[in-house]
């Protein structure tokens, strides 16, 4: 078992080094987005007392979706968005389908509409659309699409650090494509940008936000190997930690495998020497 354990550790270290990181395509932002930004408020507490309306028309608080045992993926969208929201949510669903974890079990997803005119009936249609795409039975309780008054929307957007604006001539909202991964107690753990959310990025972000409450030992080990690259919006291997792990692996192999082997070999040599001496004494007599 000891050589096997050391082999697993070495393979994990090797995997951290060779897993490719996809390059993020950088394009010029549209004119309506040029003045908008995301001001990251990492580790800040969200205003969980804000009130909204769920897809059944019930008055709820943001706190209702933050449980003690699982993280929350939080997003600002709106149902009548002509393109960006659909691209973002479709990409998110595609990434979440690759996870072995399920909504309403290991995490929750909450989307808050930035359009104060959106009705709960319209939000419900949007929820059904993406839940159907998710196509995983028994997980409807983990998908939440909320709408609310402008005051609550504005306070939440400010706490999230997400800027947006209504474009009067087009009668639509300009807003960035960003998701927040939050801790179970409502603190902002990570910002994920763009319209591509690879399984590895989502998994590590959820492990990080859950503070080890979800995920295996290997998941937490990989999180140690990777750091979040804000420029690419992904987790990338960190050379410093890989070097640390490589050094640890070397010490581990020397301690657990080679030293016992050398001691065993030395013992066998001494045994053989003693046996030879005994044979010589017996033969001489």
């Amino acid at each position: 078992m000891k050589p096997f354990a050391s082999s697993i550790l070495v393979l994990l270290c090797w995997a951290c080094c060779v897993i490719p990181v996809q390059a993020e395509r950088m394009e010029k932002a549209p004119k309506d987005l040029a003045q908008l930004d995301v001001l990251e408020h990492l580790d800040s507490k969200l205003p969980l007392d804000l009130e909204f309306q769920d897809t059944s028309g019930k008055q709820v608080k943001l706190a209702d979706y933050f449980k003690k045992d699982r993280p929350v993926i939080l997003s600002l969208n709106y149902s009548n968005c002509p393109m960006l929201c659909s691209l973002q949510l479709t990409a998110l669903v595609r990434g979440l389908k690759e996870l072995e974890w399920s909504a309403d079990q290991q995490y929750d997803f909450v989307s808050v509409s930035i359009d104060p005119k959106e009705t709960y009936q319209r939000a419900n249609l949007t929820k059904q659309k993406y839940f159907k795409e998710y196509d995983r039975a028994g997980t409807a309780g983990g998908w939440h699409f909320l709408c609310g008054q402008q005051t609550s929307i504005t306070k939440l957007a400010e706490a999230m650090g997400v800027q947006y604006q209504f474009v009067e001539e087009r009668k639509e909202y300009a807003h960035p494509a960003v998701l927040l991964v939050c801790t179970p107690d409502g603190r902002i753990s990570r910002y994920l940008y763009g319209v591509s959310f690879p399984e590895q990025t989502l998994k590590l972000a959820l492990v990080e936000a859950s503070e080890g409450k979800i995920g295996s030992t290997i998941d937490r080990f990989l999180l140690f190997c990777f750091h979040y690259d804000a420029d690419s919006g992904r987790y990338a291997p960190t050379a410093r930690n890989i070097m640390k792990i490589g050094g640890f692996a070397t010490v581990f192999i020397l301690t657990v495998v080679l030293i016992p082997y050398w001691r065993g070999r030395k013992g066998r040599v001494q045994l053989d020497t003693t046996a030879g001496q005994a044979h010589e004494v017996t033969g001489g007599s």
Side-chain angles (χ1 to χ4, degrees):
M1 291 297 294
K2 291 180 179 178
F4 176 76
S6 62
S7 299
I8 291 294
L9 185 60
V10 172
L11 286 173
L12 287 173
C13 295
W14 174 81
C16 289
C17 298
V18 302
I19 293 176
V21 179
Q22 300 178 9
E24 185 79 9
R25 187 175 66 178
M26 303 300 292
E27 297 178 348
K28 187 177 180 180
K31 182 179 178 181
D32 293 327
L33 292 177
Q35 303 301 319
L36 303 181
D37 200 358
V38 176
L39 307 176
E40 293 193 357
H41 298 158
L42 291 172
D43 205 38
S44 295
K45 189 74 176 286
L46 294 169
L48 300 182
D49 59 337
L50 292 178
E51 295 186 350
F52 295 95
Q53 197 173 29
D54 69 8
T55 51
S56 68
K58 177 183 176 182
Q59 289 297 123
V60 296
K61 289 187 176 182
L62 193 61
D64 296 336
Y65 306 100
F66 286 82
K67 316 231 174 10
K68 294 181 179 180
D69 58 344
R70 58 186 187 243
V72 173
I73 301 174
L74 178 63
S75 179
L76 293 179
N77 305 102
Y78 71 108
S79 294
N80 292 329
C81 183
M83 183 180 295
L84 184 58
C85 294
S86 178
L87 289 174
Q88 181 187 28
L89 294 178
T90 298
L92 173 63
V93 171
R94 187 180 299 117
L96 292 176
K97 289 177 69 173
E98 296 297 320
L99 290 176
E100 68 269 28
W101 304 330
S102 296
D104 199 30
Q105 296 176 24
Q106 283 80 25
Y107 63 88
D108 283 275
F109 171 70
V110 177
S111 174
V112 178
S113 175
I114 56 176
D115 182 1
K117 295 181 180 180
E118 182 167 332
T119 65
Y120 72 87
Q121 295 94 335
R122 182 70 177 90
N124 185 52
L125 292 175
T126 303
K127 173 183 175 178
Q128 298 306 320
K129 172 186 176 181
Y130 292 106
F131 176 64
K132 184 178 180 180
E133 288 186 17
Y134 186 57
D135 192 26
R136 193 172 295 185
T139 62
W143 293 85
H144 314 282
F145 285 75
L146 311 179
C147 52
Q149 300 297 317
Q150 185 64 65
T151 302
S152 294
I153 297 170
T154 299
K155 288 182 179 178
L156 179 58
E158 290 176 349
M160 295 169 65
V162 178
Q163 300 177 352
Y164 70 94
Q165 65 182 20
F166 184 69
V167 183
E168 183 64 37
E169 59 269 25
R170 298 213 309 253
K171 303 299 180 183
E172 62 186 56
Y173 288 88
H175 62 94
V178 59
L179 300 174
L180 276 67
V181 184
C182 307
T183 64
D185 64 349
R187 290 177 291 107
I188 300 172
S189 174
R190 185 61 59 202
Y191 289 77
L192 303 180
Y193 297 91
V195 291
S196 177
F197 306 102
E199 181 266 348
Q200 176 185 282
T201 298
L202 289 171
K203 188 172 188 177
L204 293 179
L206 288 170
V207 171
E208 182 180 30
S210 73
E211 299 175 335
K213 293 180 181 178
I214 65 172
S216 65
T217 301
I218 292 179
D219 294 328
R220 292 189 286 274
F221 176 84
L222 288 176
L223 183 62
F224 180 77
C225 288
F226 286 75
H227 76 286
Y228 186 74
D229 185 348
D231 292 331
S232 66
R234 290 177 170 85
Y235 286 84
T238 171
R240 188 173 184 178
N241 284 347
I242 291 173
M243 290 175 65
K244 287 181 180 178
I245 294 171
F248 172 79
T250 301
V251 174
F252 180 84
I253 293 172
L254 286 173
T255 304
V256 177
V257 180
L258 296 182
I259 292 178
Y261 171 76
W262 290 332
R263 287 179 177 176
R265 184 176 179 183
K266 182 178 180 181
R268 287 194 297 272
V269 170
Q270 290 177 345
L271 184 62
D272 291 342
T273 301
T274 301
Q277 291 175 348
H279 176 72
E280 290 178 0
V281 171
T282 303
S285 61

